Amino acid sequence: MAEVALRSIVDSDLDALFELMRDPEAVRVAAFTAADPDDRTAFDAHMAKIRTAPQVTNRAITADGLLVGSIASFVVDGDTEVTYWIDRSFWGQGIATRALALLLEKIEVRPVFARTASDNLGSIKVLQKSGFTVTGTYRGFANARNEEIEETLLRLDGPA
């Protein structure tokens, strides 16, 4: 099993993260993505904003020292949420679950919330393994699919 770690995102990570976040299959599965995943200017502006935002913790995920994704916590309307993105070639290896556990160790506030496309069973499984429970569903517009789809809402009240 790979050694999973989190570290600060550095400028030299941005090209690789941009490429990961425009993988067509990963974008389709994630569903709720940037309006245009190929827009590098928008990506750079978003990353610059979140890398300096005080209520955002954004980290690179490494597996055996190799950059394989990113993970973040952020605050929306007073609620702390988490999100992550893993290189598709590393799906199914437990990396997202381990990375989420590492991030949740650093987040002191509870509850923590998450949301994912309801048909993204892999992500739901990661969240449930981490102690999140499904609290409901919501219909929202998914840029990646150019349509409204069902999104599953999850909540973590205790430790991961």
Side-chain angles (χ1 to χ4, degrees):
M1 179 177 278
E3 180 181 337
V4 177
L6 305 183
R7 63 167 173 75
S8 295
I9 292 176
V10 295
D11 290 346
S12 60
D13 294 330
L14 296 178
D15 288 342
L17 291 174
F18 177 68
E19 290 304 318
L20 293 179
M21 293 180 180
R22 55 191 292 255
D23 172 292
E25 177 61 15
V27 168
R28 188 196 67 72
V29 170
F32 297 94
T33 63
D36 179 2
D38 295 322
D39 184 341
R40 180 61 189 254
T41 301
F43 171 84
D44 287 340
H46 176 71
M47 291 302 288
K49 179 181 173 185
I50 65 173
R51 288 174 71 192
T52 59
Q55 293 187 312
V56 175
T57 300
N58 194 19
R59 296 289 179 259
I61 302 169
T62 61
D64 293 334
L66 178 69
L67 177 67
V68 297
S70 65
I71 191 164
S73 67
F74 55 96
V75 177
V76 175
D77 297 329
D79 291 333
T80 299
E81 294 191 30
V82 294
T83 187
Y84 46 86
W85 192 285
I86 304 293
D87 180 333
R88 186 165 49 102
S89 65
F90 290 89
W91 289 0
Q93 298 179 31
I95 292 170
T97 301
R98 181 68 186 129
L100 184 54
L102 292 169
L103 181 68
L104 290 170
E105 288 174 7
K106 298 185 181 312
I107 300 173
E108 296 179 7
V109 65
R110 293 295 186 267
V112 177
F113 298 89
R115 52 185 65 229
T116 185
S118 293
D119 59 4
N120 186 346
L121 302 180
S123 192
I124 291 172
K125 183 187 261 186
V126 165
L127 292 160
Q128 289 179 322
K129 281 183 184 178
S130 300
F132 284 79
T133 57
V134 173
T135 61
T137 59
Y138 171 81
R139 292 203 59 85
F141 185 79
N143 286 325
R145 301 184 193 174
N146 197 32
E147 66 179 325
E148 191 175 279
I149 67 168
E150 184 179 271
E151 185 173 33
T152 296
L153 311 174
L154 301 101
R155 176 182 172 135
L156 174 69
D157 288 305

